[in-house]
Amino acid sequence: MKLKSKKMQRIYRQALFLVFFTFGTSILLFLLILFLIFRNRIFEENFISDNTRLILVCCFISLLIVSQGIALLWSKRIIKPANIITQAINNVAQGNFDVEIDTSDFNDDLKVVGEVVNKMICELKSMEVMREDFVSNVSHEFRAPLSAIQGYVTLLSSPVLSTSEKEAYFDLLTQSTHQLSDLVDNVLKLSRLDSQNIIQQSEKFRLDEQIRCAILLYEKQWSEKNLELELELPVCAYVGNEKMLNQIWVNLIGNAVKFTDNGGKISVRIDTSPADAVIVTISDTGIGMSDDVQKHIFERFYQGDTSRKSHGNGLGLAIVKKIADLIDCEISVNSTLGVGSTFTVTLKQ
């Protein structure tokens, strides 16, 4: 689909009008001079003298030169900025994002076009930096479990290991393979989410039952930690993307269980009192977060608590934020270091 700016169309119309007007005027003057010359010769009239004829010819030539010069200057005024913009776009197409168009000498219409192109280049450069960081982070995150797996396999090949040592290394090897599997799964999820712009699939389902199922998914973990669960899940029918919302609850509840110490408490509530929204809050009495950590928790591969790095890869909350943006819901966090965290998800009705 080709889109043309109305301002650019006006500029081209002005340029074409000037060119045609210049040539048209020149041709008309030339024909008038020829008519006068031939009339003088045919009727042998002294309608114009030789000197007058010479002056008319000189005036015609001068007018032609001046008009063509004006047309050329006007064309350059349009063509030069257009060439600069075209060259900048070609550089971007070749992967060079260190380009900025100087629009100070452009007219108002082309200045708007140049500023839009500059904004586009800036956005593309930002996306390229994000892509490079993502690739770098993925490479780094893959290297850790792969190195661990390689080390454990090497150790297990030793003939002097006892049965208990082998069992311990097998457990560590299993943990590393699970970590690698989770990383691959989350990277694929993010990749699929990044390729989606509009979520059209919506269906009616029981939101309270969906959250209960997400809680039961971690029954083993919260049972082992002897965590107290406080649930307020009234019957709530909701229309939305069931699969994506389930991923939000699984990730948030999983984080609450992971970052809450033994004997802690997790609270999950659904508030249906607003007329145009459903509010879900997931709170825990875990380690909490500092203000600085809260600013970055939705960034990919960011992990505020490095002591638990082996239990995650920093992609869970990034997936939650990406899904929230796609399905047009709001997510916020309120946390105090050493006290706990509360995630609030606001679903529009």
Side-chain angles (χ1 to χ4, degrees), residues 4-12 108-109 112-113:
K4 293 184 178 179
S5 168
K6 292 182 178 179
K7 291 185 177 181
M8 289 299 296
Q9 290 177 355
R10 187 170 70 251
I11 293 173
Y12 288 128
D108 292 339
D109 293 328
V112 172
V113 177

Side-chain angles (χ1 to χ4, degrees), residues 49-247:
S49 63
D50 292 339
N51 290 336
T52 303
R53 187 184 303 114
L54 179 61
I55 292 173
L56 288 174
V57 172
C58 290
C59 287
F60 166 73
I61 295 174
S62 300
L63 179 62
L64 182 62
I65 293 173
V66 171
S67 61
Q68 295 306 310
I70 293 173
L72 181 62
L73 290 174
W74 181 263
S75 299
K76 283 187 175 181
R77 187 166 179 253
I78 296 176
I79 293 173
K80 184 178 179 181
N83 287 337
I84 293 175
I85 293 173
T86 301
Q87 184 178 0
I89 294 175
N90 286 333
N91 287 334
V92 172
Q94 295 172 4
N96 179 18
F97 298 100
D98 295 324
V99 178
E100 184 177 358
I101 300 173
D102 183 6
T103 61
S104 58
D105 296 332
F106 290 10
N107 61 44
D108 292 339
D109 293 328
L110 286 173
K111 182 177 288 186
V112 172
V113 177
E115 290 174 351
V116 170
V117 173
N118 279 337
K119 184 178 180 181
M120 177 196 71
I121 294 172
C122 183
E123 292 293 334
L124 289 174
K125 184 177 181 179
S126 176
M127 291 177 63
E128 179 65 14
V129 171
M130 289 179 60
R131 185 190 67 81
E132 291 177 355
D133 289 343
F134 181 74
V135 172
S136 175
N137 287 328
V138 168
S139 301
H140 175 74
E141 293 295 333
F142 270 100
R143 190 179 297 115
L146 285 174
S147 298
I149 291 172
Q150 183 180 12
Y152 296 140
V153 169
T154 302
L155 289 171
L156 285 169
S157 64
S158 174
V160 297
L161 288 179
S162 64
T163 303
S164 60
E165 287 177 328
K166 287 183 178 181
E167 290 178 352
Y169 286 136
F170 270 121
D171 289 339
L172 293 173
L173 182 61
T174 301
Q175 291 179 14
S176 295
T177 55
H178 283 319
Q179 184 182 0
L180 185 61
S181 177
D182 290 340
L183 176 60
V184 172
D185 185 48
N186 284 334
V187 168
L188 290 175
K189 286 178 183 176
L190 268 177
S191 179
R192 286 194 294 267
L193 291 171
D194 285 337
S195 65
Q196 293 181 268
N197 294 319
I198 301 175
I199 305 301
Q200 296 179 339
Q201 183 182 359
S202 295
E203 52 191 328
K204 189 175 182 179
F205 61 95
R206 285 277 299 277
L207 182 63
D208 55 308
E209 289 296 331
Q210 184 184 60
I211 294 177
R212 284 192 183 91
C213 290
I215 295 171
L216 289 174
L217 187 65
Y218 293 98
E219 181 179 8
K220 179 181 178 181
Q221 289 87 335
W222 52 257
S223 295
E224 290 176 350
K225 285 187 168 185
N226 195 28
L227 300 181
E228 178 187 352
L229 297 181
E230 184 178 90
L231 307 179
E232 292 183 17
L233 303 174
V235 175
C236 178
Y238 184 76
V239 177
N241 191 290
E242 184 176 5
K243 184 177 180 180
M244 286 194 168
L245 276 175
N246 184 66
Q247 188 66 57

